[in-house]
Amino acid sequence: MSDERDARTAGTSEGAFEVAGSVVAGTSGGSGSGRAGEPGGNPGREPGRGSLPGRVLVLNSGSSSLKYRLLSGAERLASGTVERIGEPGSPVPDQRAALEAVAARLAADGLGLDSPELTAIGHRVVHGGTAFTRPTLITDEVVRGIEELVPLAPLHNPANLAGIEVARRLRPDLPQVAVFDTAFHATIPPAASTYAIDREVAARLGVRRYGFHGTSHAYVSREAALLAGGPEANVIVLHLGNGASASAVSAGRCVDTSMGMTPLEGLVMGTRSGDLDPAVVLHLARAGGMSLDEVDTLLNRRSGMLGLSGDNDMRTVTERLAEGDPEAELAVSVYCHRLRKYVGAYYAVLGTVDVIAFTGGVGENSALIRERALAGLGALGVTVDPARNARGDTLVSADGGAVKVAVIPTDEEFEIARQTLSVVSRTNRG
């Protein structure tokens, strides 16, 4: 459920219905084989990913939207989005109304929220800090802990908490689990998670590398390791969408990641700058007279591909590139240079690499970005086969290359459901 994804409909019984003028778009039933992030995107079972031992509702509560997916076994039973929550003129005033709309949609399809077959509800929570390093059964104490982390994720954690509060009120009898974006990166060693600033200041304000997109990196790195023959593989994951991040994973444990204390650090993104000399912020304030809020808006909402080219959609930028647009050329060059630099850095961190896995809307669908990001890395055993890459095969690396290059559709909702049921199972065993 990263920021570039939406509900996909191909291959399903699809529908969209209005809740007093606000749209809840949903799908139910079916199975499909398309990739997430492209038309026809993966509504049903993913080959090789296993099956869930129960029915789980996954909720991703945003500030003005609620995304949901209902999964059972290896099938997606329903999914969709409630939008414009709490916006002027919207008849969906809050998360409670949104979740009630979802419940009504599910009930209309015979999949009601009150169904005895529903095993648990899994909630995506963006920031777990150092307090929550694994999926956690939600209690009043856990809710208070998430509230204490709001200063680290002021836009996301309050919305996540609103969804949790409403779901607990509607189904107080059902186990509900918080799955944290940051948790997969909790295994990063201190050498990689520590910023070189005054230790007392860092400790007091929680300044360190946390990392994000954790559910995607967990799912994709595990699938990539299967391609290399087992869980001991070393994997570099490139999650490329409107938000983008890289991770270095050794034997299933994350040892480094590109996003830092916030999702602003690291790769070039749709509207975020990624890595930047910290003194640029001082220069913008001193020489440019910009306030902190103005700098925040510039770096998070007006930078990245949008700042470089005027467009944040990679499809539009690459179309302009094909037409010879110099701004698009520069934007793609900067984007791919940053990717290549991180691949090289994580190769050094891991020592050896078995698989480089592309995922997310851009990673799964842009052959051009995959090709240019890995160009010139033949000496490291990284080569891309042009024909396989153009087709978007699962393996796009050339025969004989030491490093497999893979295209692996992410499935964060499945990962949240898997982790949710794992917690419920452990709790039941007692």
Side-chain angles (χ1 to χ4, degrees):
M1 292 187 175
S2 48
D3 41 6
E4 75 278 0
R5 298 189 65 194
D6 56 8
R8 302 295 172 183
T9 60
T12 68
S13 170
E14 64 183 84
F17 63 99
E18 292 190 359
V19 182
S22 185
V23 175
V24 180
T27 69
S28 60
S31 62
S33 58
R35 286 201 173 85
E38 70 179 350
N42 188 24
R45 181 172 182 171
E46 286 275 3
R49 77 170 181 190
S51 176
L52 296 168
R55 181 177 291 185
V56 184
L57 177 64
V58 175
L59 297 177
N60 177 15
S61 301
S63 58
S64 62
S65 68
L66 172 65
K67 297 179 182 179
Y68 70 92
R69 182 180 287 192
L70 183 66
L71 302 104
S72 181
E75 297 297 324
R76 186 183 81 181
L77 301 179
S79 67
T81 306
V82 186
E83 298 178 317
R84 297 180 56 234
I85 299 171
E87 293 183 2
S90 171
V92 184
D94 51 31
Q95 287 288 341
R96 180 179 181 88
L99 191 52
E100 287 174 346
V102 170
R105 170 60 195 250
L106 294 175
D109 289 334
L111 302 167
L113 199 61
D114 58 352
S115 169
E117 295 182 56
L118 189 60
T119 306
I121 298 177
H123 296 266
R124 180 221 185 187
V125 180
V126 167
H127 216 306
T130 57
F132 300 106
T133 59
R134 61 182 63 191
T136 304
L137 188 69
I138 295 172
T139 63
D140 291 344
E141 182 180 358
V142 169
V143 168
R144 287 192 292 272
I146 298 172
E147 288 173 343
E148 291 172 1
L149 293 166
V150 165
L152 292 176
L155 297 179
H156 297 93
N157 274 27
N160 302 154
L161 282 164
I164 289 171
E165 178 187 359
V166 172
R168 292 181 79 201
R169 209 158 53 227
L170 291 178
R171 283 301 305 266
D173 58 313
L174 203 63
Q176 304 200 30
V177 175
V179 179
F180 299 91
D181 277 14
T182 50
F184 180 66
H185 306 300
T187 54
I188 292 174
S193 65
T194 304
Y195 291 118
I197 68 170
D198 181 272
R199 288 181 297 170
E200 187 278 329
V201 172
R204 176 163 52 88
L205 298 177
V207 178
R208 53 157 288 164
R209 181 179 308 281
Y210 294 101
F212 299 90
H213 291 152
T215 52
S216 178
H217 286 279
Y219 178 85
V220 172
S221 62
R222 190 171 59 249
E223 293 292 299
L226 294 176
L227 295 175
E232 300 303 311
N234 285 347
V235 179
I236 295 173
V237 177
L238 303 174
H239 176 110
L240 310 179
N242 194 44
S245 59
S247 68
V249 181
S250 180
R253 293 171 60 86
C254 185
V255 296
D256 209 346
T257 191
S258 59
M259 285 182 168
M261 178 178 169
T262 75
L264 181 59
E265 188 180 356
L267 304 176
V268 177
M269 299 173 235
T271 64
R272 300 177 200 145
S273 64
D275 290 341
L276 194 73
D277 180 348
V280 170
V281 175
L282 306 179
H283 180 73
L284 292 171
R286 291 169 179 163
M290 298 177 70
S291 68
L292 288 179
D293 286 345
E294 288 172 330
V295 173
D296 189 324
T297 298
L298 172 68
L299 299 183
N300 277 292
R301 301 182 184 278
R302 293 171 43 211
S303 296
M305 298 301 286
L306 179 65
L308 289 168
S309 72
D311 281 302
N312 70 307
D313 190 318
M314 186 62 77
R315 292 167 296 189
T316 304
V317 176
T318 53
E319 287 170 1
R320 288 171 51 192
L321 174 65
E323 296 168 356
D325 186 318
E327 290 183 352
E329 171 60 42
L330 176 62
V332 170
S333 295
V334 172
Y335 185 95
C336 291
H337 176 82
R338 186 78 54 84
L339 275 171
R340 193 179 310 113
K341 187 162 71 170
Y342 267 91
V343 169
Y346 287 171
Y347 204 114
V349 167
L350 292 167
T352 60
V353 176
D354 298 297
V355 185
I356 297 172
F358 286 88
T359 194
V362 176
E364 294 168 29
N365 296 301
S366 179
L368 174 68
I369 295 300
R370 293 192 297 264
E371 175 189 354
R372 290 185 60 159
L374 300 183
L377 299 183
L380 299 179
V382 181
T383 54
V384 172
D385 181 274
R388 292 170 181 170
N389 188 42
R391 291 193 302 267
D393 292 354
T394 298
L395 282 178
V396 299
S397 43
D399 293 336
V403 179
K404 291 181 170 63
V405 180
V407 180
I408 300 178
T410 191
D411 197 334
E412 293 161 276
E413 294 88 352
F414 182 90
E415 183 65 21
I416 291 170
R418 188 190 70 81
Q419 293 188 28
T420 295
L421 287 177
S422 177
V423 170
V424 172
S425 176
R426 288 198 305 269
T427 303
N428 289 342
R429 290 198 302 267

